Amino acid sequence: MKLTQSPFGDKTLLFTIENDNGVIVEVTNFGARIVNLFVPTDSGYKNIVLGFDSIEDYKKETYCGATIGRVAGRIKNGEFSLDESLYKTSVNQSGNTLHGGTSGFDEKIWNYEVNETDQSTSIIFSINSPHSENGFPGNLEVSVTYTLDNLNTWSVSYQAKSDKDTIFNPTNHVYFNLTGHPSKPIDDHSLQIFSEEFAPVNTDTTVTGEKRSVIETPYDFRTPKKLKSTFESVDAEVKKVQGIDHPFFLTCSELDQIAAKLISPDGKIKVEVYTEEPTIVVYTANIVEGVPLMHGEKLIQHGGITFETQVAPGAIEFEDFGDIILLADENYASQTKYKISF
């Protein structure tokens, strides 16, 4: 294992971790985000995640690769009830709170520590989110640990504690494109999701509260299929978001059970997702207007796909969507792993 660090701009750092197999992960403490993930191939290194060359571009597209919080997804009308109190949160998209409001975890400069062993290297990012920040109750201490090991697994581990009852539902907003080129759509990638139900959405992409079977829908990924068939569908849900922007309820949420798999068009690169979270929100880069160049290439529509592991958005409204309440002095812990084969 090798670790180096270099300036990334505005007093932030870029950490480069390389394992013994030549896999390279680059992360920064701006937004506790992944910047690059290189895998060695017959034709040279491929960067299989979307990202930018500069912190200035990340300030324009702050969700890309970032840690998202306090609450991932949308809070309808920017309000929620907890302990018989009504809280109003920072509204930043169509009258709703998206990804924790402005500014969220994705715009913070995080503290960091490094932990190195023979078989893995970790960067532990941490912040304190003060009481009432963006309207959320409780002083919240948060840490996010990025680990690359010699099994070619990139792990994201979250820990948190609040001094008041609050809501908490973090995720990571990594985008994958296994061709290594954001200018190429993911149409010919094959996707598998171990899910039998998804959540339909309203026109503003908030969830309706329904859980719908994936059977006989374009969102049936129980066996691997190319994404092109979904993108070309005339289904109302697909048309509404121009692709996929939906929560998928997982049949199993254990770290030893695969939750999703993405396969490159040539079948040589695979990413398997393992998570303790009950849901994956899949978003397929449906709206790309105004996105800065990515390493010299223009991001095309459907040029990437996210696997946002979390409790389903809408959990604070709909009881059977899950629970995102974090009680005072209770320890929050969750982990997601991305296993890479090439």
Side-chain angles (χ1 to χ4, degrees):
M1 303 290 299
K2 298 177 189 174
L3 172 67
T4 57
Q5 62 185 61
S6 56
F8 195 56
D10 287 357
K11 300 179 181 178
T12 65
L13 292 169
L14 185 72
F15 300 88
T16 301
I17 307 169
E18 181 175 357
N19 74 5
D20 295 347
N21 306 312
V23 175
I24 299 172
V25 169
E26 294 191 319
V27 301
T28 177
N29 60 328
F30 178 62
R33 82 183 65 235
I34 183 167
V35 174
N36 298 305
L37 203 173
F38 296 100
V39 298
T41 71
D42 295 340
S43 57
Y45 272 94
K46 276 188 181 176
N47 186 4
I48 62 170
V49 303
L50 303 189
F52 303 105
D53 290 326
S54 72
I55 193 170
E56 287 74 25
D57 287 338
Y58 278 112
K59 287 179 178 179
K60 299 171 187 173
E61 289 290 327
T62 59
Y63 299 143
C64 185
T67 297
I68 300 297
R70 290 186 185 190
V71 174
R74 293 162 180 82
I75 300 174
K76 192 171 182 65
N77 300 325
E79 60 183 33
F80 65 93
S81 295
L82 180 65
D83 298 335
E84 299 182 353
S85 295
L86 179 66
Y87 293 93
K88 294 191 176 293
T89 50
S90 166
V91 169
N92 60 339
Q93 189 192 63
S94 304
N96 304 307
T97 300
L98 175 63
H99 292 333
T102 304
S103 57
F105 288 179
D106 51 294
E107 295 184 62
K108 290 181 177 290
I109 297 177
W110 294 57
N111 302 314
Y112 66 90
E113 296 177 43
V114 174
N115 183 30
E116 296 180 83
T117 72
D118 290 341
Q119 296 301 317
S120 68
T121 296
S122 300
I123 312 294
I124 304 108
F125 296 116
S126 61
I127 52 162
N128 180 273
S129 176
H131 173 64
S132 292
E133 184 172 41
N134 286 352
F136 294 97
N139 293 294
L140 184 73
E141 296 178 357
V142 185
S143 71
V144 180
T145 302
Y146 283 178
T147 302
L148 177 65
D149 64 25
N150 278 330
L151 298 175
N152 303 330
T153 298
W154 167 49
S155 302
V156 183
S157 301
Y158 306 89
Q159 291 186 310
K161 183 184 280 191
S162 172
D163 63 358
K164 295 181 183 295
D165 291 357
T166 191
I167 59 174
F168 186 59
N169 190 23
T171 195
N172 182 278
H173 212 289
V174 62
Y175 286 90
F176 289 96
N177 183 322
L178 304 187
T179 69
H181 295 286
S183 58
K184 293 182 179 179
I186 54 169
D187 297 35
D188 289 322
H189 285 53
S190 294
L191 175 64
Q192 183 174 21
I193 307 175
F194 291 80
S195 169
E196 296 180 354
E197 293 180 311
F198 75 101
V201 296
N202 297 302
T203 52
D204 64 357
T205 332
T206 55
V207 293
T208 65
E210 177 191 354
K211 286 184 174 182
R212 185 178 297 176
S213 171
V214 300
I215 296 172
E216 296 183 356
T217 78
Y219 298 143
D220 187 352
F221 296 102
R222 291 173 299 163
T223 56
K225 71 174 184 181
K226 290 191 182 297
L227 280 155
K228 182 187 297 184
S229 63
T230 298
F231 297 150
E232 292 177 347
S233 169
V234 296
D235 180 88
E237 290 295 316
V238 175
K239 291 285 189 182
K240 203 178 295 179
V241 299
Q242 302 176 54
I244 310 173
D245 191 0
H246 293 76
F248 289 79
F249 300 94
L250 300 174
T251 52
C252 184
S253 51
E254 302 285 344
L255 283 177
D256 60 353
Q257 297 288 322
I258 186 170
K261 181 191 293 186
L262 186 68
I263 305 169
S264 64
D266 62 9
K268 292 182 178 179
I269 300 175
K270 300 181 182 68
V271 175
E272 295 177 344
V273 184
Y274 300 81
T275 186
E276 295 177 307
E277 292 300 308
T279 308
I280 295 178
V281 176
V282 175
Y283 174 62
T284 50
N286 308 320
I287 301 171
V288 298
E289 189 176 337
V291 175
L293 291 179
M294 292 183 159
H295 313 305
E297 294 188 28
K298 182 173 176 56
L299 176 64
I300 195 168
Q301 184 184 39
H302 304 147
I305 183 171
T306 67
F307 296 102
E308 299 168 57
T309 61
Q310 59 184 94
V311 177
I316 200 67
E317 298 174 75
F318 307 110
E319 190 174 335
D320 64 343
F321 271 41
D323 181 9
I324 61 170
I325 296 172
L326 178 61
L327 299 177
D329 299 318
E330 184 178 273
N331 289 313
Y332 174 95
S334 180
Q335 187 174 24
T336 293
K337 294 183 176 185
Y338 302 89
K339 183 167 177 56
I340 303 138
S341 306
F342 52 91

